[in-house]
Amino acid sequence: MDDLYREVIIEHYKNPSYRGKLDPHDISFADNNPLCGDHIQIDLRVNADGVVTDARFDGHGCAISQASADLLLESIIGKSLEEVKKLNKDSVLELLGIDLGPVRLKCALLSLKVLKAGVYGLGEASDDLVE
Amino acid sequence: MLNIEQIRKDFPILERETSNGKRVIYLDSTATSQKPIQVIEAMNDYYRRSNANIHRGVHTLAEEATTLYEGARERIAKFINAASSREVIYTRNTTESINLVAYSWARTNLKAGDLVVLTEMEHHSNLVPWHMLQAERGIELEFIPVTENGLLDLTAYAALLTRSPKLVSFAHMSNVLGTINPAREIIRMAHEAGALALVDGAQSVPHLNVDVRELDADFYAFSAHKMCGPTGIGALYGKSSLLEAMPPFLGGGDMIKEVKLRSFRANSLPHKFEAGTPAIAEAIGFGAAVDYLKAIGMDNIAAHEHEITEYALERLEEIPGVKLFGPDANHKGGVAAFTLEGIHPHDVAQILDQDGIAVRAGHHCAQPLHEKFGIPATSRASFYLYSTKDEVDLLVNGLYKVKKMFG
Ligand SMILES: Cc1ncc(COP(=O)(O)O)c(C=O)c1O
């Protein structure tokens, strides 16, 4: 359990590299975690080949939700949207390097849910996106 | 005074350890209380010795099960000083009790434009049933404001009453602020204005001496699981004159006197509102919980919780960056909701959990109240008859640890 607050998570929480907004952007999406009121918005820039060239997140929440957003965005820059669509729960857990119970999993996966809903151009983010 | 050591021995779960070998420090009784061995045994005994469906059976087991089930109801009725056990309806929980009033009483008695007064500190269970009725019937909703220090603004309430509401529905005790609202005064004012009063007693019945007749409550809702009883059972108290006039809630077996192919006649109270096979073992556990609390004495329990709460608020206030919500210990029950500057409540709760300390983080099903105070979430420690000052000290030490981690 101590692992939950590994150095890397606290570091990404306290000093995120990808916090902010992108204006202009090609894709933008936001959602809440209704359980705890965490909120995340993600903006992406995508080039003509469908490759992510820049990404930012904004919002508020616990260390797990914010650190996973930062790590996730770091991991997708340079990737194609098709590759982003393939990301799942395990991709995020691998980035965080920890195991999570069902409640905190929701915190960790909020950014992926928002990211994929944006990439797919959906009206609403659903849990199915991160299964 | 309570013999805490003795009481703690009644709760087997308080002896268990978490996966990393820490003793459980349970500070989440507002969400659900722990269960004493007396309650667990009562339910076990029922399944081992007396299990049968109740009411119509004439065999030994059915007789026994019925006696146990109805006997529990009688003791629950006495516990809140209802005039008769016919006024105590078994439900699943507080939420279902409130919904029963919203479906049966309100849908019969309220029409478009009628006003229901709630408060800003309500649990979602005393908000959403009324939102649903508003969407369906066009009733109006108003809210008694909460002041900065977590009390209801009774002057504003008096002003709302001039609009002749039909119902005032409020929590006797807040599950976030801990505020113990002046229920008798609120009900008296409601009655003077011609309104009925429904009380959400989810937090009050477990912690205070509640007398529904002294309060003159029209309806009073509570849950067994927050008062040492099992989940899956609660109660709605209602004045018999009101309950008699209300149509049934759910239809089916047990709630009928007679059924024809094309019609039915409803059963008498309280069975009219209890369709289908109920939670029998849970009702028996509920009865055992009431016996347990009564033997210790509600006044003793309230005094103990007051002492712990006063101590907890004092110690928490010492911690730089802690902001407490709700009134001082003299106006509240055993609840301490707080934020720790710059650290999300989820992280607070998770790090405390590493030391075996169980607190809750989130909006505690009171999102509008959190919005009012401009915060998405709080951490909440809550206390019950088995809580100790040692546990408060461990919580405080844990919070210093959290601060260090994020410092
Ligand atoms: C004030 C209040 N009202 C209602 C409820 C709902 O209780 P239940 O979930 O048992 O229906 C709770 C439980 O958290 C509560 O604290």
Side-chain angles (χ1 to χ4, degrees):
Chain A
M1 273 303 227
D2 267 318
D3 281 331
L4 218 57
Y5 292 92
R6 291 178 347 129
E7 205 67 16
V8 43
I9 290 176
I10 301 267
E11 194 44 44
H12 277 272
Y13 173 61
K14 289 211 290 206
N15 301 306
S17 308
Y18 295 92
R19 180 174 279 284
K21 292 190 173 161
L22 288 178
D23 220 354
H25 52 249
D26 300 297
I27 290 174
S28 178
F29 196 82
D31 199 17
N32 297 314
N33 177 348
L35 287 176
C36 45
D38 290 0
H39 177 85
I40 284 189
Q41 172 175 337
I42 291 179
D43 297 344
L44 299 180
R45 280 193 193 135
V46 183
N47 70 15
D49 300 329
V51 169
V52 177
T53 57
D54 205 356
R56 289 288 184 279
F57 76 96
D58 202 18
H60 55 82
C62 62
I64 305 284
S65 79
Q66 306 293 295
S68 74
D70 202 48
L71 284 158
L72 180 66
L73 295 194
E74 182 177 80
S75 80
I76 63 164
I77 291 177
K79 283 207 173 114
S80 71
L81 292 182
E82 288 315 305
E83 285 174 290
V84 170
K85 286 179 184 172
K86 291 201 190 96
L87 295 174
N88 60 18
K89 177 174 109 183
D90 294 335
S91 336
V92 174
L93 289 180
E94 208 167 296
L95 288 170
L96 289 168
I98 53 177
D99 246 349
L100 287 173
V103 178
R104 298 314 296 276
L105 200 55
K106 287 219 188 307
C107 306
L109 296 180
L110 176 61
S111 52
L112 180 61
K113 205 163 90 174
V114 168
L115 174 66
K116 287 179 82 173
V119 168
Y120 277 106
L122 301 177
E124 205 168 311
S126 112
D127 284 339
D128 298 343
L129 290 169
V130 293
E131 277 314 303
Chain B
M1 274 287 63
L2 300 190
N3 182 347
I4 295 297
E5 238 167 81
Q6 194 54 47
I7 286 174
R8 287 183 70 87
K9 284 201 187 111
D10 291 334
F11 293 81
I13 207 167
L14 297 178
E15 276 163 34
R16 75 154 274 184
E17 295 181 345
T18 57
S19 55
N20 56 354
K22 305 282 182 176
R23 189 166 59 90
V24 166
I25 308 296
Y26 189 73
L27 301 179
D28 196 18
S29 294
T30 292
T32 196
S33 75
Q34 293 304 346
K35 324 301 177 200
I37 192 71
Q38 291 84 342
V39 168
I40 299 168
E41 291 288 326
M43 295 172 70
N44 266 344
D45 279 352
Y46 162 72
Y47 277 129
R48 281 167 184 270
R49 284 182 45 82
S50 314
N51 178 57
N53 212 332
I54 51 166
H55 295 141
R56 291 151 313 276
V58 288
H59 56 76
T60 304
L61 297 186
E63 293 267 2
E64 257 180 52
T66 306
T67 306
L68 289 167
Y69 178 81
E70 291 302 335
R73 191 198 309 271
E74 272 168 34
R75 277 148 31 234
I76 295 160
K78 283 213 179 75
F79 188 70
I80 57 166
N81 199 29
S84 152
S85 65
R86 295 170 61 246
E87 297 181 319
V88 172
I89 294 156
Y90 285 130
T91 61
R92 280 190 306 139
N93 45 39
T94 304
T95 304
E96 186 173 298
S97 299
I98 294 170
N99 274 278
L100 197 162
V101 177
Y103 276 87
S104 175
W105 179 83
R107 277 171 173 76
T108 312
N109 290 286
L110 300 187
K111 53 182 194 314
D114 282 348
L115 178 62
V116 171
V117 171
L118 308 168
T119 86
E120 286 180 344
M121 63 168 82
E122 294 313 304
H123 188 279
H124 296 165
S125 61
N126 194 27
L127 290 171
V128 180
W130 308 111
H131 294 158
M132 290 164 68
L133 198 64
Q134 182 175 41
E136 185 186 311
R137 283 290 163 86
I139 61 163
E140 287 186 27
L141 301 179
E142 287 296 348
F143 302 86
I144 307 173
V146 174
T147 64
E148 197 49 44
N149 51 3
L151 303 173
L152 289 180
D153 179 345
L154 293 187
T155 312
Y157 174 45
L160 287 174
L161 289 176
T162 62
R163 292 173 49 190
S164 304
K166 292 288 195 305
L167 178 73
V168 176
S169 185
F170 66 98
H172 196 160
M173 173 173 150
S174 160
N175 66 316
V176 180
L177 304 171
T179 316
I180 298 170
N181 289 314
R184 211 165 79 153
E185 177 71 1
I186 294 171
I187 294 169
R188 189 187 56 76
M189 289 168 74
H191 286 166
E192 274 172 12
L196 294 188
L198 162 59
V199 184
D200 170 352
Q203 295 302 338
S204 45
V205 180
H207 303 280
L208 310 171
N209 219 335
V210 169
D211 180 331
V212 290
R213 275 191 287 174
E214 196 215 10
L215 290 171
D216 201 18
D218 298 297
F219 299 105
Y220 204 101
F222 53 109
S223 299
H225 72 93
K226 294 184 194 287
M227 49 190 289
C228 296
T231 54
I233 189 128
L236 174 68
Y237 160 83
K239 285 181 180 163
S240 58
S241 55
L242 292 167
L243 294 174
E244 296 279 11
M246 282 157 56
F249 176 33
L250 300 174
D254 240 33
M255 52 72 68
I256 45 86
K257 200 162 260 156
E258 183 184 47
V259 179
K260 301 261 174 63
L261 210 47
R262 293 183 189 281
S263 64
F264 77 97
R265 280 199 305 132
N267 206 338
S268 48
L269 287 178
H271 312 293
K272 175 166 103 176
F273 294 105
E274 294 175 6
T277 301
I280 304 168
E282 286 76 5
I284 291 164
F286 196 174
V290 157
D291 296 343
Y292 183 79
L293 293 174
K294 200 163 188 168
I296 293 171
M298 290 312 291
D299 289 334
N300 293 331
I301 292 172
H304 172 71
E305 286 176 24
H306 180 73
E307 192 184 327
I308 299 288
T309 307
E310 207 164 36
Y311 179 68
L313 297 184
E314 206 180 284
R315 296 262 7 233
L316 288 168
E317 233 152 36
E318 286 166 15
I319 305 173
V322 162
K323 183 172 172 8
L324 284 158
F325 294 86
D328 61 66
N330 289 328
H331 294 90
K332 74 148 95 191
V335 183
F338 60 92
T339 51
L340 195 50
E341 198 184 346
I343 309 176
H344 193 281
H346 263 180
D347 295 319
V348 173
Q350 188 89 57
I351 295 166
L352 289 174
D353 181 61
Q354 292 170 6
D355 287 332
I357 302 167
V359 301
R360 193 151 284 257
H363 52 55
H364 320 295
C365 293
Q367 239 174 331
L369 179 66
H370 281 77
E371 226 155 82
K372 162 116 189 169
F373 285 104
I375 41 170
T378 50
S379 303
R380 180 186 73 188
S382 53
F383 315 109
Y384 206 7
L385 71 166
Y386 39 68
S387 304
T388 65
K389 287 187 180 172
D390 282 349
E391 291 180 317
V392 172
D393 291 338
L394 288 167
L395 168 68
V396 170
N397 293 347
L399 290 172
Y400 277 110
K401 199 165 147 186
V402 174
K403 278 172 64 91
K404 207 167 136 206
M405 215 149 163
F406 278 84

